[in-house]
Amino acid sequence: MAQGCLKCLKITMCAANLLCFMCGVAVLSLGVYLMVNFRMAALTPNLASFNTSNMLLISGIIITCVSFLGFLGALKENRCLLLTFFLLLFLLMLVELTAACLLLMYEGEISNLVKEDLIKGLEKAKGKTGNTTDVISEWDLVQNQFDCCGVVNASDWGAAVPRSCCLNDCSGTPIYKPKGCLQTLKNLFEDNFLTTGISVIVFCIIEVLGMCFAMTLFCHISRSGLGYKL
């Protein structure tokens, strides 16, 4: 009976970690694709390291490495790998909870920091575009995607308002989009706040289950006297 439970636990851990590994590879590939094709350094110069592509790249690397460690530890019944897998999951859960708490505590400061960086990015973009209105840039991509213009409104662009800000074809008297990108991003974050919170909770539950499985398998292997078998 014990051997049957051990085998079932081992197969479950291997299957779950293999699935996580595949998801990690997909996230890593998406991060590489976004990094190559969509560079957002012009939007937030000082926060460029925290853009979506970099975050996806880092997340993909972490997921693939940790899941591979758990898969190999379960497959080979290696206590050292299982214990390392357990500790890494525990550290990841602490980091996630700490980041969520800091985001809630310093929401206002983070918002001001993002606003200042967006203004710097827009000033740099204005310097590059000059008086032209048909330059395709990272700002054009964001303004088209989120249906917004400038940081606060179209007046941020001065006399060089790009075509991506126009509600009409920009001929004659142009009509600009009324919403600024900062407020649009705030609304997007607030609208998805519940989804983000649920996602964090789900990730934490998965990590707790992974730790429980790893520790249970670790104890079974210890009682079986398999040691650090490879």
PDB file of all heavy atoms in Angstrom, residues 11 31 71 74 93 104 126 136 139 145 207:
ATOM      1  N   ILE A  11       4.488   9.885  -9.614  1.00  0.00           N
ATOM      2  CA  ILE A  11       3.948  10.141 -10.956  1.00  0.00           C
ATOM      3  C   ILE A  11       3.245  11.492 -11.005  1.00  0.00           C
ATOM      4  O   ILE A  11       3.379  12.252 -11.968  1.00  0.00           O
ATOM      5  CB  ILE A  11       2.988   9.003 -11.366  1.00  0.00           C
ATOM      6  CG1 ILE A  11       3.767   7.695 -11.554  1.00  0.00           C
ATOM      7  CG2 ILE A  11       2.243   9.356 -12.656  1.00  0.00           C
ATOM      8  CD1 ILE A  11       2.888   6.486 -11.782  1.00  0.00           C
ATOM      9  N   GLY A  31       8.478  35.951 -23.784  1.00  0.00           N
ATOM     10  CA  GLY A  31       9.346  37.032 -23.322  1.00  0.00           C
ATOM     11  C   GLY A  31      10.424  37.379 -24.336  1.00  0.00           C
ATOM     12  O   GLY A  31      10.697  38.557 -24.591  1.00  0.00           O
ATOM     13  N   PHE A  71      10.873  17.915 -11.122  1.00  0.00           N
ATOM     14  CA  PHE A  71      10.669  16.738 -11.965  1.00  0.00           C
ATOM     15  C   PHE A  71      11.802  15.734 -11.791  1.00  0.00           C
ATOM     16  O   PHE A  71      11.568  14.539 -11.603  1.00  0.00           O
ATOM     17  CB  PHE A  71      10.565  17.176 -13.428  1.00  0.00           C
ATOM     18  CG  PHE A  71      10.498  16.032 -14.406  1.00  0.00           C
ATOM     19  CD1 PHE A  71       9.299  15.376 -14.653  1.00  0.00           C
ATOM     20  CD2 PHE A  71      11.634  15.607 -15.078  1.00  0.00           C
ATOM     21  CE1 PHE A  71       9.232  14.325 -15.551  1.00  0.00           C
ATOM     22  CE2 PHE A  71      11.589  14.557 -15.974  1.00  0.00           C
ATOM     23  CZ  PHE A  71      10.378  13.912 -16.215  1.00  0.00           C
ATOM     24  N   ALA A  74      11.783  14.110  -8.252  1.00  0.00           N
ATOM     25  CA  ALA A  74      10.748  13.079  -8.098  1.00  0.00           C
ATOM     26  C   ALA A  74      11.076  11.838  -8.927  1.00  0.00           C
ATOM     27  O   ALA A  74      10.897  10.713  -8.465  1.00  0.00           O
ATOM     28  CB  ALA A  74       9.389  13.647  -8.516  1.00  0.00           C
ATOM     29  N   MET A  93       7.278  31.839  -2.830  1.00  0.00           N
ATOM     30  CA  MET A  93       6.015  32.238  -2.219  1.00  0.00           C
ATOM     31  C   MET A  93       6.202  33.466  -1.331  1.00  0.00           C
ATOM     32  O   MET A  93       5.385  34.385  -1.343  1.00  0.00           O
ATOM     33  CB  MET A  93       5.431  31.075  -1.409  1.00  0.00           C
ATOM     34  CG  MET A  93       4.028  31.352  -0.882  1.00  0.00           C
ATOM     35  SD  MET A  93       3.287  29.919  -0.088  1.00  0.00           S
ATOM     36  CE  MET A  93       4.371  29.753   1.332  1.00  0.00           C
ATOM     37  N   LEU A 104       0.545  47.099  -2.466  1.00  0.00           N
ATOM     38  CA  LEU A 104      -0.622  47.682  -1.794  1.00  0.00           C
ATOM     39  C   LEU A 104      -0.231  48.844  -0.889  1.00  0.00           C
ATOM     40  O   LEU A 104      -0.920  49.866  -0.830  1.00  0.00           O
ATOM     41  CB  LEU A 104      -1.343  46.609  -0.975  1.00  0.00           C
ATOM     42  CG  LEU A 104      -2.071  45.515  -1.767  1.00  0.00           C
ATOM     43  CD1 LEU A 104      -2.600  44.440  -0.827  1.00  0.00           C
ATOM     44  CD2 LEU A 104      -3.215  46.112  -2.582  1.00  0.00           C
ATOM     45  N   LYS A 126       9.303  63.168 -28.023  1.00  0.00           N
ATOM     46  CA  LYS A 126       9.072  64.454 -28.704  1.00  0.00           C
ATOM     47  C   LYS A 126      10.351  64.954 -29.355  1.00  0.00           C
ATOM     48  O   LYS A 126      10.324  65.505 -30.453  1.00  0.00           O
ATOM     49  CB  LYS A 126       8.564  65.486 -27.693  1.00  0.00           C
ATOM     50  CG  LYS A 126       7.110  65.307 -27.316  1.00  0.00           C
ATOM     51  CD  LYS A 126       6.735  66.127 -26.094  1.00  0.00           C
ATOM     52  CE  LYS A 126       6.908  67.611 -26.323  1.00  0.00           C
ATOM     53  NZ  LYS A 126       6.457  68.392 -25.141  1.00  0.00           N
ATOM     54  N   ILE A 136       6.096  56.240 -36.454  1.00  0.00           N
ATOM     55  CA  ILE A 136       5.651  55.045 -35.739  1.00  0.00           C
ATOM     56  C   ILE A 136       6.648  54.773 -34.617  1.00  0.00           C
ATOM     57  O   ILE A 136       7.825  54.548 -34.848  1.00  0.00           O
ATOM     58  CB  ILE A 136       5.582  53.825 -36.688  1.00  0.00           C
ATOM     59  CG1 ILE A 136       4.607  54.121 -37.832  1.00  0.00           C
ATOM     60  CG2 ILE A 136       5.139  52.581 -35.933  1.00  0.00           C
ATOM     61  CD1 ILE A 136       3.187  54.411 -37.386  1.00  0.00           C
ATOM     62  N   TRP A 139       5.376  54.807 -28.431  1.00  0.00           N
ATOM     63  CA  TRP A 139       4.233  55.564 -27.933  1.00  0.00           C
ATOM     64  C   TRP A 139       3.024  55.377 -28.839  1.00  0.00           C
ATOM     65  O   TRP A 139       1.891  55.282 -28.364  1.00  0.00           O
ATOM     66  CB  TRP A 139       4.581  57.046 -27.813  1.00  0.00           C
ATOM     67  CG  TRP A 139       5.200  57.378 -26.495  1.00  0.00           C
ATOM     68  CD1 TRP A 139       6.521  57.463 -26.199  1.00  0.00           C
ATOM     69  CD2 TRP A 139       4.511  57.646 -25.277  1.00  0.00           C
ATOM     70  NE1 TRP A 139       6.710  57.767 -24.871  1.00  0.00           N
ATOM     71  CE2 TRP A 139       5.485  57.889 -24.279  1.00  0.00           C
ATOM     72  CE3 TRP A 139       3.161  57.703 -24.923  1.00  0.00           C
ATOM     73  CZ2 TRP A 139       5.159  58.184 -22.964  1.00  0.00           C
ATOM     74  CZ3 TRP A 139       2.826  57.996 -23.602  1.00  0.00           C
ATOM     75  CH2 TRP A 139       3.818  58.235 -22.642  1.00  0.00           C
ATOM     76  N   GLN A 145      -3.120  50.930 -28.924  1.00  0.00           N
ATOM     77  CA  GLN A 145      -3.591  49.748 -28.217  1.00  0.00           C
ATOM     78  C   GLN A 145      -4.576  50.109 -27.107  1.00  0.00           C
ATOM     79  O   GLN A 145      -5.601  49.444 -26.925  1.00  0.00           O
ATOM     80  CB  GLN A 145      -2.395  48.983 -27.634  1.00  0.00           C
ATOM     81  CG  GLN A 145      -2.747  47.685 -26.925  1.00  0.00           C
ATOM     82  CD  GLN A 145      -3.215  46.616 -27.882  1.00  0.00           C
ATOM     83  OE1 GLN A 145      -2.812  46.588 -29.042  1.00  0.00           O
ATOM     84  NE2 GLN A 145      -4.096  45.739 -27.417  1.00  0.00           N
ATOM     85  N   GLU A 207       1.940  26.397  -5.084  1.00  0.00           N
ATOM     86  CA  GLU A 207       3.262  26.268  -4.462  1.00  0.00           C
ATOM     87  C   GLU A 207       3.187  25.513  -3.131  1.00  0.00           C
ATOM     88  O   GLU A 207       4.068  24.697  -2.830  1.00  0.00           O
ATOM     89  CB  GLU A 207       3.858  27.661  -4.246  1.00  0.00           C
ATOM     90  CG  GLU A 207       4.331  28.306  -5.537  1.00  0.00           C
ATOM     91  CD  GLU A 207       4.577  29.797  -5.404  1.00  0.00           C
ATOM     92  OE1 GLU A 207       4.232  30.369  -4.358  1.00  0.00           O
ATOM     93  OE2 GLU A 207       5.116  30.390  -6.357  1.00  0.00           O
TER      94      GLU A 207
END
